[in-house]
Amino acid sequence: MKHCVKKRQVPLGLKVYRTLSSLLYYASSPVIKGLSKVGDEEDLWRQRFFLNRSFGNEIYDCWLHAVSVGEVAVCEVLVDSLLRIRPDLKLLVSSTTPQGLIRLRTRLSEKCSLMVFPLDFPQVISRLLSQIKTTVYGGIETELWPNLILGLKEKGTNCILLNGRLSEKSFKAYKRLGGIFRPVLNSFSKICVINETYKDRFEKIGASHQSLIVTGNAKYEGLITKPDLNRKKIIKDRLGLGQKELVFCAGSIRGGEEEPIIDAGARAKKEHPHLVCFIVPRHLDRIPCVLKVLEKRGIGFDLWSQLELGKKRSHDWIVVDVIGPLYDLYGIADCAFVGGSLVPKGGQNLMEPASWGCPVIFGPSTSNFEEAASILQREGGGITVRDSNELFEVINRLLKDPVLRQNIGKKARESLLSISKGAASFQVEIILEELDKANKAK
């Protein structure tokens, strides 16, 4: 008598996703293949289709994926910790955005193999997995790509979600698409989440209770020792910033924030003639908009790119038109505004200025950094503003009172120390446990 083996049923939602992603591949493939015949070998889109790229059947201990600059910062901390404990590990790191890839090449190219993250088409993933094998895969924050994760799982890879977070908006979206993402979540052997709120959200969208671990936020642990006082002195000397100059830095500003921030800075400048203002857009394509606002208001400015080439600073407004300097500029600031928060973008990393002991100012939109915003407000290291008028009032109050600045800055730094709690070290332990477990099972 023949026994029938019952095949595990694929949820309808996942079937639809796979079919649509496969059809989309065929629709877009001719365009991308055309690109592969011209241009630079490093063309981003050709690499995302995994065309004209051979890894020669490489085998890695661990592949870490960081979608953009913020996640790359987490990746740097994890890589450094992993290699400090086990220097012989063979690591692969990927990113999606141009900014993330630039930072990867700058910070990690000598420590790891680097790769552009592939598009989640079945055909692309099949090409990728025929050339790359990894014992452990770690996606950072909310990287839930069904074809990739399920493909890795089928190949015997131990998948981990690191520094997991799920905003209220994302939670609602994933909950509606449970048929697609529940099997993906159940393919992770461990899901390391930042806090209990995120743990609850992940469980409600289908993650198993056993796989969920609250580890804290690894993004912040690396900031504790990151400030470089020598680098700070070099920048101040190069820009001619002495004891009389005060500095305001507006970092990671997004579209719609240029006018309110510049207007608040201009008002503060009238009250404090020696104030120097740095405007740092999140994306370089916003530079023309920033310059237009300054020119419209008759404000003279220097471009950071020209100052880097040796041009002497001739204005008290500096527009940063390159990627990279923001963190060090927070270090020379007497107070800092973190953008993406006056407009509904969810904010940026509030703990970067806090790591320098700099008072942190931000708008009401901080869904991407809920825990950081909460502890900064609770401990008195951060101040929320709703508009340009409130931003001016806070800047003015801080610049007038050095003791107040120092106290708030100290509390900001203490908030960082409180929120970190060895999160990166904890997640590194989990990565190594999964690696050892997989190696023993071979």
Side-chain angles (χ1 to χ4, degrees):
M1 184 176 177
K2 291 183 178 179
H3 294 277
C4 294
V5 178
K6 189 176 181 180
K7 285 187 176 181
R8 179 188 251 179
Q9 286 192 327
V10 178
L12 178 61
L14 190 55
K15 285 182 179 178
V16 172
Y17 177 87
R18 284 176 164 170
T19 301
L20 290 177
S21 59
S22 182
L23 291 173
L24 186 56
Y25 170 82
Y26 287 117
S28 55
S29 188
V31 176
I32 302 301
K33 285 182 178 178
L35 286 174
S36 72
K37 297 174 183 177
V38 296
D40 193 328
E41 183 184 16
E42 292 297 311
D43 178 82
L44 181 65
W45 281 104
R46 284 187 286 116
Q47 289 193 59
R48 294 204 70 193
F49 269 73
F50 216 71
L51 294 166
N52 296 350
R53 186 72 183 267
S54 176
F55 274 77
N57 297 314
E58 295 283 357
I59 300 176
Y60 294 94
D61 295 303
C62 183
W63 169 13
L64 297 173
H65 173 57
V67 64
S68 193
V69 174
E71 294 75 21
V72 170
V74 178
C75 196
E76 290 171 25
V77 178
L78 296 176
V79 165
D80 287 343
S81 297
L82 283 167
L83 293 178
R84 187 167 55 250
I85 297 168
R86 297 193 189 174
D88 59 336
L89 286 179
K90 193 170 185 180
L91 304 178
L92 172 66
V93 180
S94 62
S95 188
T96 304
T97 68
Q99 294 88 350
L101 290 163
I102 289 169
R103 181 156 175 168
L104 274 186
R105 288 168 185 151
T106 303
R107 307 289 179 87
L108 294 178
S109 60
E110 295 182 1
K111 301 175 183 179
C112 318
S113 295
L114 307 182
M115 182 181 76
V116 177
F117 190 71
L119 291 166
D120 198 45
F121 296 147
Q123 299 88 339
V124 175
I125 299 306
S126 178
R127 274 200 295 272
L128 173 80
L129 297 182
S130 69
Q131 294 188 42
I132 293 176
K133 292 179 175 61
T134 180
T135 305
V136 173
Y137 167 82
I140 296 173
E141 296 205 351
T142 318
E143 290 298 293
L144 306 176
W145 297 103
N147 291 322
L148 174 66
I149 301 303
L150 294 171
L152 286 166
K153 188 68 176 175
E154 287 171 10
K155 292 284 186 178
T157 298
N158 284 17
C159 297
I160 311 170
L161 192 65
L162 300 162
N163 227 51
R165 53 179 291 274
L166 202 60
S167 68
E168 182 67 27
K169 182 179 178 181
S170 297
F171 166 64
K172 291 175 181 176
Y174 281 116
K175 197 172 182 182
R176 287 194 297 269
L177 299 169
I180 298 175
F181 291 102
R182 196 170 292 110
V184 178
L185 289 165
N186 287 323
S187 294
F188 288 101
S189 53
K190 293 287 188 294
I191 298 177
C192 304
V193 294
I194 291 172
N195 58 36
E196 291 288 344
T197 299
Y198 294 144
K199 179 182 177 182
D200 182 60
R201 289 174 186 170
F202 271 102
E203 193 164 3
K204 284 179 178 176
I205 65 170
S208 70
H209 181 77
Q210 292 78 8
S211 68
L212 288 160
I213 307 171
V214 177
T215 59
N217 196 333
K219 184 174 287 186
Y220 302 137
E221 187 174 340
L223 291 175
I224 295 172
T225 57
K226 190 173 180 180
D228 185 337
L229 297 180
N230 185 54
R231 175 74 180 152
K232 174 179 176 178
K233 182 179 184 305
I234 290 170
I235 293 175
K236 292 189 75 170
D237 290 346
R238 192 175 76 197
L239 296 175
L241 299 175
Q243 291 186 345
K244 68 178 181 180
E245 279 82 18
L246 294 167
V247 175
F248 167 64
C249 179
S252 293
I253 65 172
R254 305 293 291 269
E257 292 183 320
E258 296 95 346
E259 289 196 6
I261 289 170
I262 289 171
D263 287 345
R267 290 176 65 188
K269 176 71 175 163
K270 289 180 180 178
E271 297 289 327
H272 307 273
H274 295 296
L275 179 63
V276 178
C277 299
F278 289 83
I279 305 296
V280 191
R282 173 69 175 169
H283 301 295
L284 296 183
D285 59 7
R286 299 300 303 178
I287 296 294
C289 301
V290 173
L291 301 186
K292 186 176 179 181
V293 173
L294 290 169
E295 288 165 352
K296 185 178 177 182
R297 284 155 177 74
I299 297 172
F301 57 85
D302 290 315
L303 294 175
W304 181 268
S305 59
Q306 295 175 350
L307 297 176
E308 278 191 324
L309 294 174
K311 179 180 179 291
K312 187 176 180 181
R313 180 175 68 87
S314 55
H315 298 93
D316 288 339
W317 288 79
I318 298 170
V319 178
V320 178
D321 57 341
V322 300
I323 295 171
L326 176 57
Y327 181 76
D328 288 329
L329 295 180
Y330 283 144
I332 68 171
D334 293 285
C335 60
F337 174 82
V338 180
S341 57
L342 277 181
V343 292
K345 295 293 185 180
Q348 297 298 329
N349 195 342
L350 304 175
M351 288 299 176
E352 287 194 344
S355 70
W356 287 98
C358 175
V360 188
I361 312 168
F362 47 91
S365 178
T366 56
S367 59
N368 292 335
F369 294 87
E370 291 172 322
E371 190 177 22
S374 176
I375 195 168
L376 283 167
Q377 289 174 315
R378 186 172 69 246
E379 300 299 324
I383 303 170
T384 305
V385 297
R386 291 172 296 181
D387 53 35
S388 183
N389 285 333
E390 289 188 2
L391 178 57
F392 159 69
E393 289 169 4
V394 171
I395 296 170
N396 189 38
R397 189 166 77 245
L398 289 170
L399 296 182
K400 279 184 175 180
D401 191 339
V403 174
L404 177 66
R405 287 201 308 273
Q406 185 178 17
N407 288 339
I408 293 178
K410 182 181 177 183
K411 290 174 182 176
R413 172 78 183 178
E414 289 170 351
S415 297
L416 169 64
L417 297 175
S418 173
I419 203 173
S420 299
K421 297 176 182 175
S425 303
F426 193 178
Q427 294 184 54
V428 164
E429 286 178 15
I430 291 168
I431 293 171
L432 293 176
E433 284 173 8
E434 290 297 307
L435 180 60
D436 292 341
K437 184 169 70 175
N439 286 333
K440 285 178 183 177
K442 287 180 181 177

